[in-house]
Short mmCIF file of all heavy atoms in Angstrom, two decimals:
data_model
loop_
_atom_site.label_atom_id
_atom_site.label_comp_id
_atom_site.label_asym_id
_atom_site.label_seq_id
_atom_site.Cartn_x
_atom_site.Cartn_y
_atom_site.Cartn_z
N GLY A 29 -3.51 -19.37 2.69
CA GLY A 29 -2.20 -19.82 2.23
C GLY A 29 -1.13 -18.74 2.24
O GLY A 29 0.03 -19.04 1.95
N PHE A 30 -1.48 -17.50 2.57
CA PHE A 30 -0.50 -16.41 2.62
C PHE A 30 0.14 -16.34 4.01
O PHE A 30 -0.46 -16.73 5.01
CB PHE A 30 -1.16 -15.08 2.27
CG PHE A 30 -1.25 -14.81 0.79
CD1 PHE A 30 -1.70 -15.79 -0.09
CD2 PHE A 30 -0.86 -13.58 0.27
CE1 PHE A 30 -1.77 -15.54 -1.45
CE2 PHE A 30 -0.93 -13.32 -1.09
CZ PHE A 30 -1.37 -14.32 -1.96
N ASP A 31 1.36 -15.84 4.03
CA ASP A 31 2.09 -15.75 5.29
C ASP A 31 1.62 -14.59 6.16
O ASP A 31 1.65 -14.66 7.39
CB ASP A 31 3.60 -15.58 5.01
CG ASP A 31 4.15 -16.69 4.14
OD1 ASP A 31 4.22 -17.83 4.62
OD2 ASP A 31 4.48 -16.42 2.97
N LEU A 32 1.22 -13.50 5.50
CA LEU A 32 0.88 -12.27 6.18
C LEU A 32 -0.36 -11.65 5.55
O LEU A 32 -0.67 -11.92 4.38
CB LEU A 32 2.04 -11.26 6.09
CG LEU A 32 3.37 -11.69 6.70
CD1 LEU A 32 4.50 -10.83 6.16
CD2 LEU A 32 3.31 -11.60 8.22
N GLY A 33 -1.04 -10.81 6.31
CA GLY A 33 -2.16 -10.07 5.77
C GLY A 33 -1.73 -8.69 5.31
O GLY A 33 -0.67 -8.52 4.71
N ASN A 34 -2.54 -7.69 5.65
CA ASN A 34 -2.25 -6.31 5.25
C ASN A 34 -2.18 -5.40 6.47
O ASN A 34 -2.48 -4.22 6.38
CB ASN A 34 -3.30 -5.81 4.26
CG ASN A 34 -2.97 -4.45 3.66
OD1 ASN A 34 -1.80 -4.06 3.60
ND2 ASN A 34 -3.98 -3.73 3.22
N SER A 35 -1.81 -5.95 7.60
CA SER A 35 -1.61 -5.13 8.79
C SER A 35 -0.14 -4.74 8.89
O SER A 35 0.73 -5.62 8.93
CB SER A 35 -2.00 -5.89 10.06
OG SER A 35 -1.54 -5.20 11.21
N PRO A 36 0.17 -3.44 8.95
CA PRO A 36 1.59 -3.07 9.07
C PRO A 36 2.24 -3.63 10.33
O PRO A 36 3.45 -3.83 10.36
CB PRO A 36 1.54 -1.53 9.10
CG PRO A 36 0.14 -1.18 9.47
CD PRO A 36 -0.72 -2.27 8.93
N LEU A 37 1.44 -3.92 11.34
CA LEU A 37 2.00 -4.43 12.59
C LEU A 37 2.48 -5.88 12.46
O LEU A 37 3.24 -6.35 13.31
CB LEU A 37 0.96 -4.31 13.71
CG LEU A 37 0.49 -2.87 13.99
CD1 LEU A 37 -0.59 -2.86 15.05
CD2 LEU A 37 1.66 -2.00 14.41
N GLU A 38 2.04 -6.58 11.44
CA GLU A 38 2.53 -7.94 11.20
C GLU A 38 3.95 -7.95 10.64
O GLU A 38 4.66 -8.95 10.76
CB GLU A 38 1.62 -8.66 10.21
CG GLU A 38 0.21 -8.93 10.65
CD GLU A 38 -0.56 -9.63 9.55
OE1 GLU A 38 -0.39 -10.86 9.39
OE2 GLU A 38 -1.32 -8.95 8.82
N TYR A 39 4.34 -6.86 10.00
CA TYR A 39 5.58 -6.84 9.24
C TYR A 39 6.74 -6.39 10.11
O TYR A 39 7.39 -5.38 9.89
CB TYR A 39 5.40 -5.95 8.01
CG TYR A 39 4.47 -6.56 6.98
CD1 TYR A 39 3.10 -6.68 7.23
CD2 TYR A 39 4.95 -7.04 5.77
CE1 TYR A 39 2.25 -7.25 6.30
CE2 TYR A 39 4.11 -7.62 4.84
CZ TYR A 39 2.76 -7.72 5.11
OH TYR A 39 1.92 -8.31 4.19
N THR A 40 6.99 -7.17 11.14
CA THR A 40 8.05 -6.86 12.10
C THR A 40 9.41 -7.25 11.53
O THR A 40 9.51 -8.05 10.59
CB THR A 40 7.82 -7.62 13.41
OG1 THR A 40 7.89 -9.03 13.14
CG2 THR A 40 6.46 -7.28 14.01
N ARG A 41 10.46 -6.73 12.14
CA ARG A 41 11.81 -7.06 11.69
C ARG A 41 12.07 -8.55 11.78
O ARG A 41 12.70 -9.15 10.89
CB ARG A 41 12.84 -6.28 12.50
CG ARG A 41 14.28 -6.47 12.02
CD ARG A 41 15.22 -5.46 12.64
NE ARG A 41 14.91 -4.10 12.21
CZ ARG A 41 15.37 -3.56 11.08
NH1 ARG A 41 16.16 -4.27 10.27
NH2 ARG A 41 15.07 -2.33 10.76
N ALA A 42 11.60 -9.18 12.83
CA ALA A 42 11.83 -10.62 13.00
C ALA A 42 11.21 -11.43 11.88
O ALA A 42 11.71 -12.50 11.52
CB ALA A 42 11.28 -11.07 14.35
N VAL A 43 10.14 -10.94 11.30
CA VAL A 43 9.43 -11.67 10.25
C VAL A 43 9.95 -11.34 8.86
O VAL A 43 10.12 -12.25 8.02
CB VAL A 43 7.91 -11.37 10.33
CG1 VAL A 43 7.17 -11.98 9.15
CG2 VAL A 43 7.34 -11.88 11.64
N VAL A 44 10.24 -10.06 8.58
CA VAL A 44 10.46 -9.66 7.19
C VAL A 44 11.90 -9.33 6.84
O VAL A 44 12.22 -9.18 5.65
CB VAL A 44 9.57 -8.44 6.82
CG1 VAL A 44 8.11 -8.75 7.08
CG2 VAL A 44 10.01 -7.18 7.54
N GLU A 45 12.79 -9.21 7.78
CA GLU A 45 14.15 -8.75 7.46
C GLU A 45 14.81 -9.66 6.42
O GLU A 45 14.82 -10.89 6.55
CB GLU A 45 15.02 -8.70 8.71
CG GLU A 45 16.37 -8.07 8.47
CD GLU A 45 17.11 -7.76 9.76
OE1 GLU A 45 16.80 -8.39 10.80
OE2 GLU A 45 17.99 -6.88 9.72
N GLY A 46 15.31 -9.05 5.35
CA GLY A 46 15.99 -9.78 4.30
C GLY A 46 15.08 -10.50 3.33
O GLY A 46 15.56 -11.16 2.40
N ARG A 47 13.78 -10.36 3.50
CA ARG A 47 12.84 -11.09 2.65
C ARG A 47 12.18 -10.15 1.64
O ARG A 47 12.04 -8.95 1.87
CB ARG A 47 11.73 -11.73 3.50
CG ARG A 47 12.19 -12.46 4.74
CD ARG A 47 12.97 -13.72 4.41
NE ARG A 47 12.15 -14.77 3.89
CZ ARG A 47 11.46 -15.65 4.66
NH1 ARG A 47 11.46 -15.53 5.97
NH2 ARG A 47 10.76 -16.62 4.09
N THR A 48 11.75 -10.71 0.52
CA THR A 48 10.90 -10.00 -0.43
C THR A 48 9.46 -10.40 -0.17
O THR A 48 9.16 -11.58 0.01
CB THR A 48 11.30 -10.33 -1.87
OG1 THR A 48 12.59 -9.79 -2.13
CG2 THR A 48 10.31 -9.75 -2.87
N ILE A 49 8.58 -9.41 -0.17
CA ILE A 49 7.16 -9.66 0.06
C ILE A 49 6.43 -9.54 -1.27
O ILE A 49 6.44 -8.48 -1.90
CB ILE A 49 6.54 -8.64 1.05
CG1 ILE A 49 7.47 -8.37 2.24
CG2 ILE A 49 5.15 -9.09 1.48
CD1 ILE A 49 7.75 -9.55 3.09
N CYS A 50 5.81 -10.61 -1.72
CA CYS A 50 4.90 -10.55 -2.87
C CYS A 50 3.52 -10.21 -2.30
O CYS A 50 2.95 -10.98 -1.53
CB CYS A 50 4.89 -11.88 -3.62
SG CYS A 50 6.50 -12.29 -4.34
N PHE A 51 2.99 -9.06 -2.69
CA PHE A 51 1.97 -8.37 -1.90
C PHE A 51 0.80 -7.96 -2.77
O PHE A 51 0.97 -7.36 -3.83
CB PHE A 51 2.64 -7.13 -1.30
CG PHE A 51 1.83 -6.30 -0.36
CD1 PHE A 51 1.32 -6.84 0.81
CD2 PHE A 51 1.60 -4.96 -0.64
CE1 PHE A 51 0.60 -6.05 1.69
CE2 PHE A 51 0.88 -4.16 0.24
CZ PHE A 51 0.38 -4.72 1.41
N THR A 52 -0.42 -8.29 -2.34
CA THR A 52 -1.60 -7.92 -3.10
C THR A 52 -2.72 -7.49 -2.16
O THR A 52 -2.96 -8.13 -1.14
CB THR A 52 -2.08 -9.08 -4.01
OG1 THR A 52 -3.18 -8.63 -4.81
CG2 THR A 52 -2.48 -10.30 -3.22
N THR A 53 -3.39 -6.38 -2.50
CA THR A 53 -4.47 -5.87 -1.67
C THR A 53 -5.65 -5.46 -2.55
O THR A 53 -5.54 -5.38 -3.77
CB THR A 53 -4.02 -4.66 -0.82
OG1 THR A 53 -3.81 -3.53 -1.66
CG2 THR A 53 -2.76 -4.97 -0.03
N THR A 54 -6.76 -5.15 -1.90
CA THR A 54 -7.98 -4.85 -2.64
C THR A 54 -7.85 -3.59 -3.48
O THR A 54 -8.29 -3.55 -4.64
CB THR A 54 -9.16 -4.71 -1.65
OG1 THR A 54 -9.26 -5.90 -0.85
CG2 THR A 54 -10.47 -4.50 -2.40
N ASN A 55 -7.27 -2.53 -2.91
CA ASN A 55 -7.22 -1.24 -3.60
C ASN A 55 -5.80 -0.76 -3.87
O ASN A 55 -5.50 -0.28 -4.96
CB ASN A 55 -7.95 -0.18 -2.77
CG ASN A 55 -9.41 -0.50 -2.57
OD1 ASN A 55 -10.20 -0.50 -3.50
ND2 ASN A 55 -9.79 -0.78 -1.33
N GLY A 56 -4.93 -0.84 -2.89
CA GLY A 56 -3.63 -0.20 -2.99
C GLY A 56 -2.73 -0.73 -4.09
O GLY A 56 -2.11 0.05 -4.83
N THR A 57 -2.63 -2.03 -4.21
CA THR A 57 -1.72 -2.56 -5.23
C THR A 57 -2.26 -2.33 -6.64
O THR A 57 -1.50 -2.21 -7.59
CB THR A 57 -1.41 -4.04 -4.99
OG1 THR A 57 -2.62 -4.80 -4.89
CG2 THR A 57 -0.61 -4.22 -3.71
N ARG A 58 -3.57 -2.21 -6.77
CA ARG A 58 -4.14 -1.85 -8.07
C ARG A 58 -3.72 -0.45 -8.47
O ARG A 58 -3.36 -0.18 -9.63
CB ARG A 58 -5.67 -1.96 -8.01
CG ARG A 58 -6.38 -1.56 -9.29
CD ARG A 58 -7.85 -1.90 -9.22
NE ARG A 58 -8.59 -1.21 -10.26
CZ ARG A 58 -9.32 -0.14 -10.08
NH1 ARG A 58 -9.42 0.40 -8.88
NH2 ARG A 58 -9.97 0.44 -11.07
N LEU A 59 -3.75 0.48 -7.52
CA LEU A 59 -3.29 1.84 -7.79
C LEU A 59 -1.82 1.85 -8.18
O LEU A 59 -1.43 2.50 -9.16
CB LEU A 59 -3.49 2.72 -6.55
CG LEU A 59 -2.81 4.08 -6.61
CD1 LEU A 59 -3.53 5.01 -7.57
CD2 LEU A 59 -2.72 4.70 -5.22
N ILE A 60 -1.00 1.13 -7.43
CA ILE A 60 0.44 1.13 -7.70
C ILE A 60 0.72 0.61 -9.10
O ILE A 60 1.51 1.21 -9.85
CB ILE A 60 1.16 0.28 -6.65
CG1 ILE A 60 1.11 0.98 -5.28
CG2 ILE A 60 2.60 0.00 -7.06
CD1 ILE A 60 1.40 0.07 -4.11
N ARG A 61 0.07 -0.45 -9.48
CA ARG A 61 0.32 -1.00 -10.81
C ARG A 61 -0.19 -0.07 -11.90
O ARG A 61 0.38 0.00 -12.99
CB ARG A 61 -0.30 -2.39 -10.90
CG ARG A 61 0.41 -3.42 -10.02
CD ARG A 61 1.80 -3.76 -10.53
NE ARG A 61 1.70 -4.44 -11.79
CZ ARG A 61 1.55 -5.75 -11.91
NH1 ARG A 61 1.51 -6.54 -10.83
NH2 ARG A 61 1.47 -6.31 -13.10
N ALA A 62 -1.26 0.68 -11.63
CA ALA A 62 -1.73 1.67 -12.61
C ALA A 62 -0.73 2.78 -12.79
O ALA A 62 -0.65 3.39 -13.87
CB ALA A 62 -3.08 2.24 -12.15
N ALA A 63 0.03 3.07 -11.73
CA ALA A 63 0.98 4.19 -11.77
C ALA A 63 2.41 3.78 -12.09
O ALA A 63 3.30 4.62 -12.10
CB ALA A 63 0.96 4.91 -10.42
N GLU A 64 2.64 2.52 -12.40
CA GLU A 64 4.02 2.05 -12.51
C GLU A 64 4.76 2.63 -13.72
O GLU A 64 5.98 2.52 -13.78
CB GLU A 64 4.07 0.53 -12.52
CG GLU A 64 3.43 -0.13 -13.71
CD GLU A 64 3.43 -1.65 -13.60
OE1 GLU A 64 4.02 -2.20 -12.65
OE2 GLU A 64 2.86 -2.28 -14.50
N GLY A 65 4.07 3.26 -14.64
CA GLY A 65 4.74 3.90 -15.75
C GLY A 65 5.24 5.29 -15.45
O GLY A 65 5.85 5.93 -16.32
N ALA A 66 5.00 5.78 -14.25
CA ALA A 66 5.48 7.12 -13.88
C ALA A 66 7.00 7.17 -13.91
O ALA A 66 7.68 6.16 -13.67
CB ALA A 66 4.97 7.49 -12.49
N ARG A 67 7.53 8.36 -14.14
CA ARG A 67 8.98 8.51 -14.16
C ARG A 67 9.60 8.15 -12.81
O ARG A 67 10.66 7.54 -12.75
CB ARG A 67 9.34 9.95 -14.55
CG ARG A 67 10.84 10.22 -14.64
CD ARG A 67 11.12 11.57 -15.28
NE ARG A 67 10.42 12.66 -14.64
CZ ARG A 67 10.81 13.23 -13.48
NH1 ARG A 67 11.86 12.76 -12.84
NH2 ARG A 67 10.13 14.24 -12.98
N ARG A 68 8.94 8.54 -11.73
CA ARG A 68 9.35 8.12 -10.40
C ARG A 68 8.09 7.80 -9.62
O ARG A 68 7.08 8.50 -9.74
CB ARG A 68 10.14 9.22 -9.67
CG ARG A 68 11.41 9.64 -10.38
CD ARG A 68 12.22 10.60 -9.51
NE ARG A 68 12.92 9.89 -8.45
CZ ARG A 68 13.50 10.49 -7.41
NH1 ARG A 68 13.42 11.81 -7.27
NH2 ARG A 68 14.15 9.80 -6.50
N LEU A 69 8.13 6.74 -8.83
CA LEU A 69 6.96 6.31 -8.06
C LEU A 69 7.39 5.96 -6.65
O LEU A 69 8.30 5.15 -6.44
CB LEU A 69 6.30 5.09 -8.74
CG LEU A 69 5.12 4.45 -8.03
CD1 LEU A 69 3.98 5.45 -7.83
CD2 LEU A 69 4.64 3.23 -8.82
N PHE A 70 6.71 6.58 -5.68
CA PHE A 70 6.98 6.35 -4.27
C PHE A 70 5.72 5.82 -3.59
O PHE A 70 4.61 6.04 -4.07
CB PHE A 70 7.39 7.66 -3.58
CG PHE A 70 8.43 8.45 -4.30
CD1 PHE A 70 8.13 9.71 -4.81
CD2 PHE A 70 9.70 7.95 -4.49
CE1 PHE A 70 9.09 10.46 -5.48
CE2 PHE A 70 10.67 8.67 -5.16
CZ PHE A 70 10.37 9.93 -5.66
#
Protein backbone atom coordinates (compact mmCIF):
# COMPACT_ATOMS: atom_id res chain seq x y z
CA GLY A 1 0.00 0.00 0.00
CA PHE A 2 3.01 2.36 0.07
CA ASP A 3 3.96 4.49 -2.91
CA LEU A 4 7.71 4.01 -2.57
CA GLY A 5 10.19 1.72 -0.89
CA ASN A 6 13.58 2.64 0.56
CA SER A 7 15.62 2.87 -2.62
CA PRO A 8 17.07 6.35 -3.16
CA LEU A 9 16.76 5.76 -6.89
CA GLU A 10 12.96 5.68 -6.60
CA TYR A 11 12.87 9.22 -5.24
CA THR A 12 13.25 11.03 -8.54
CA ARG A 13 12.28 14.64 -9.12
CA ALA A 14 9.33 13.56 -11.25
CA VAL A 15 7.95 11.53 -8.34
CA VAL A 16 8.75 13.57 -5.22
CA GLU A 17 9.02 17.26 -6.17
CA GLY A 18 6.78 19.35 -3.92
CA ARG A 19 5.63 16.34 -1.92
CA THR A 20 6.08 15.34 1.71
CA ILE A 21 7.22 11.76 2.26
CA CYS A 22 5.91 9.94 5.34
CA PHE A 23 8.77 7.50 5.70
CA THR A 24 9.47 4.42 7.82
CA THR A 25 12.34 1.91 7.69
CA THR A 26 13.63 -1.00 9.72
CA ASN A 27 16.59 0.77 11.33
CA GLY A 28 17.11 4.33 10.14
CA THR A 29 13.89 6.00 11.17
CA ARG A 30 14.14 4.39 14.61
CA LEU A 31 17.54 6.04 15.06
CA ILE A 32 16.23 9.40 13.88
CA ARG A 33 13.33 9.36 16.28
CA ALA A 34 15.67 8.38 19.14
CA ALA A 35 17.80 11.41 18.32
CA GLU A 36 15.02 13.93 17.73
CA GLY A 37 15.66 15.67 21.05
CA ALA A 38 19.11 16.80 19.92
CA ARG A 39 19.71 20.52 19.66
CA ARG A 40 20.40 20.08 15.95
CA LEU A 41 19.81 16.93 13.90
CA PHE A 42 20.98 16.25 10.35
